[in-house]
Amino acid sequence: MPIKFLYIDDEKKETIHELVELIESSSDGELSIHHEQVMDSIHAVGLFAREQQFDGILIDQDLKAVSDDGNKADYFGTTLAQQLRTEMAVQNIPPLPLVLISYEEIILNQLEPDDSAKNLFDAVIRKRDLKEAIGRSSAAKHLVSLVRAYETASNYRKDVGHDLELEEVREILNCDQETFAQIDTRFIDFLSSKASDPHALVGAIFSTLVQSAGMLVTETMLQTKLGMSSDSGDWGTCKALLDEYKYKGPFSQIKDRWWFSRIEDWWFDLCPESVLQSLTCEERVDVLKAKLDLDELSAIPIRYPNGEQSQNLWVNCVLSGTPLDPFDALRVRDPEAKSWEQPKYMDVKAYLEDPTDPKKFVVHTDDQKKIKKLLVRLKPDVNG
């Protein structure tokens, strides 16, 4: 059976119908979305969701229009979400993912979820992104993954005051004993404490593991740490050798990620005489070519050939994706980051050219003075 989402939006059914069909058609039959306009009371939504056994709820923020049945909401989507979270806490309805869907960018940015249990929404969907096939596919995968993650978290739910056992955490993350032994114990303790609240447990996994750099790496990050250009002809062959180190836990369907500690183990077996990060990109690629007999690999070209840029590229700019050595990058101010998460970094040129006002990311206080020094040392081409 397909996963069932209730969608609360004050728009008329004929207006919403196309949007719903676009998301459903991008899910390969895994999603079924039922649209309802505002109901006669805020409590009616939770009752309807429970009786119809929905797996999740999509909520628009602006619910001011009168429905075809003459109902008018005296609340916003956030108010509805708060009520639903309260009903889940007292177990009037089962734990369900709540997703904000809206055109209002300011609202979406303010309500972007993190790992905190106080957050109302598990995800936000920008309606404008659904106009593109890639946006619809991404949204559909995220909705499916959320429901699967909630199912897993609910299966391990415990009473308040009881933590998850270590083996239960390993089972939730769906990793082998060798991988689990290398996971930061602070992260394990953090997850263990979320046993009574599936919403908090799911949010912790998504925000501080899947979406963050550090223990897991995306394909782009993996290429950077191996020093190879994304257009390397033998990248597919090389990547296939690393399949056993892929992350297989909640949200793994959204995008491929790898446990980096296992990648480091693999590199040590391949080249025990050299630490991966200590080598330049050219040196890393030379090792891979020689050890794996892959000729169609090429090193990442440096971004600032006119300056003095380190060739030990290791991280990626959060704005542009540009590979950089942390020495040549600016750290992002992120007071909510957990101790096991890698700092976010920015390329100085991408930061200065960020068109958003105010800029999307803020430079860490300790790196403010580094901006001018990087401009002098890297000599970026302001025209390129």
Side-chain angles (χ1 to χ4, degrees):
M1 290 181 60
I3 291 169
K4 295 168 55 181
F5 265 86
L6 172 62
Y7 178 17
I8 304 296
D9 194 316
D10 60 348
E11 295 277 2
K12 294 187 178 297
K13 291 188 179 297
E14 53 268 28
T15 305
I16 292 298
H17 180 72
E18 182 180 1
L19 183 66
V20 167
E21 280 199 331
L22 286 172
I23 301 175
E24 289 179 338
S25 63
S26 299
S27 72
D28 295 324
E30 290 194 89
L31 288 175
S32 174
I33 301 174
H34 175 82
H35 169 240
E36 286 284 336
Q37 295 176 293
V38 293
M39 298 184 181
D40 56 1
S41 74
I42 194 170
H43 302 285
V45 178
L47 181 63
F48 185 71
R50 182 181 64 191
E51 290 178 344
Q52 298 298 317
Q53 297 183 333
F54 285 101
D55 301 301
I57 304 177
L58 291 159
I59 303 173
D60 185 40
Q61 169 65 0
D62 192 355
L63 301 174
K64 62 186 178 184
V66 178
S67 73
D68 294 339
D69 297 329
N71 298 319
K72 181 174 174 58
D74 58 353
Y75 52 85
F76 290 107
T78 45
T79 312
L80 172 58
Q82 182 63 68
Q83 176 63 31
L84 291 170
R85 288 294 178 207
T86 300
E87 296 202 39
M88 290 178 206
V90 299
Q91 300 187 31
N92 285 341
I93 59 176
L96 300 173
L98 303 182
V99 178
L100 177 68
I101 180 167
S102 178
Y103 278 119
E104 301 175 61
E105 196 69 24
I106 294 177
I107 295 295
L108 290 166
N109 289 337
Q110 289 176 341
L111 297 174
E112 191 82 44
D114 60 26
D115 67 284
S116 174
K118 72 179 183 295
N119 284 99
L120 298 175
F121 298 101
D122 297 284
V124 299
I125 293 177
R126 290 163 170 78
K127 286 184 178 179
R128 61 173 51 86
D129 291 345
L130 300 176
K131 295 177 181 178
E132 304 293 334
I134 189 171
R136 295 192 293 271
S137 176
S138 176
K141 286 181 180 179
H142 203 143
L143 293 178
V144 171
S145 294
L146 267 173
V147 171
R148 300 299 185 216
Y150 262 79
E151 289 173 349
T152 299
S154 296
N155 288 338
Y156 288 89
R157 189 177 190 180
K158 299 190 176 188
D159 293 335
V160 175
H162 294 268
D163 285 357
L164 293 166
E165 301 291 337
L166 290 179
E167 181 61 16
E168 291 175 321
V169 177
R170 188 189 70 79
E171 291 172 358
I172 289 170
L173 297 177
N174 194 20
C175 62
D176 58 32
Q177 293 287 358
E178 189 173 357
T179 300
F180 188 67
Q182 298 182 16
I183 296 177
D184 195 307
T185 56
R186 294 168 296 184
F187 173 68
I188 294 174
D189 287 344
F190 186 63
L191 288 193
S192 297
S193 69
K194 309 294 185 185
S196 65
D197 187 351
H199 168 55
L201 179 57
V202 169
I205 293 171
F206 184 72
S207 296
T208 72
L209 177 66
V210 175
Q211 280 292 90
S212 73
M215 289 187 287
L216 297 183
V217 291
T218 63
E219 183 168 344
T220 299
M221 295 174 189
L222 180 57
Q223 289 173 331
T224 296
K225 293 184 188 301
L226 293 179
M228 69 177 68
S229 173
S230 59
D231 59 2
S232 293
D234 277 333
W235 167 238
T237 303
C238 182
K239 183 170 65 169
L241 298 174
L242 307 175
D243 276 352
E244 63 181 294
Y245 311 124
K246 276 187 178 181
Y247 169 70
K248 300 179 179 68
F251 301 104
S252 57
Q253 306 92 336
I254 296 178
K255 186 188 291 185
D256 287 341
R257 287 170 173 81
W258 290 258
W259 290 104
F260 189 61
S261 63
R262 300 306 307 280
I263 300 296
E264 289 182 305
D265 289 344
W266 171 80
W267 178 270
F268 180 78
D269 291 339
L270 193 71
C271 183
E273 64 273 16
S274 300
V275 176
L276 182 59
Q277 190 173 2
S278 69
L279 302 177
T280 67
C281 291
E282 290 281 359
E283 291 169 337
R284 295 173 208 168
V285 169
D286 286 344
V287 169
L288 293 171
K289 283 182 174 182
K291 300 286 187 177
L292 302 178
D293 195 25
L294 299 176
D295 295 330
E296 298 299 318
L297 295 179
S298 55
I300 303 170
I302 60 173
R303 177 166 169 76
Y304 300 107
N306 298 323
E308 299 174 14
Q309 181 182 0
S310 166
Q311 297 184 42
N312 295 64
L313 309 182
W314 194 249
V315 298
N316 293 84
C317 171
V318 293
L319 289 168
S320 64
T322 300
L324 296 162
D325 185 322
F327 179 66
D328 294 328
L330 300 167
R331 286 175 297 167
V332 172
R333 188 179 71 191
D334 186 5
E336 302 300 323
K338 305 302 181 186
S339 54
W340 55 86
E341 295 183 85
Q342 174 187 284
K344 297 181 178 71
Y345 292 93
M346 288 185 290
D347 168 46
V348 64
K349 186 177 179 183
Y351 168 70
L352 294 175
E353 293 177 349
D354 179 11
T356 58
D357 187 22
K359 292 185 182 297
K360 186 175 182 179
F361 296 104
V362 178
V363 176
H364 191 287
T365 303
D366 292 344
D367 281 8
Q368 291 284 350
K369 295 179 180 179
K370 193 176 178 182
I371 297 175
K372 290 184 178 179
K373 294 179 180 179
L374 287 178
L375 291 174
V376 171
R377 179 159 55 79
L378 298 178
K379 297 181 175 60
D381 179 3
V382 295
N383 298 314

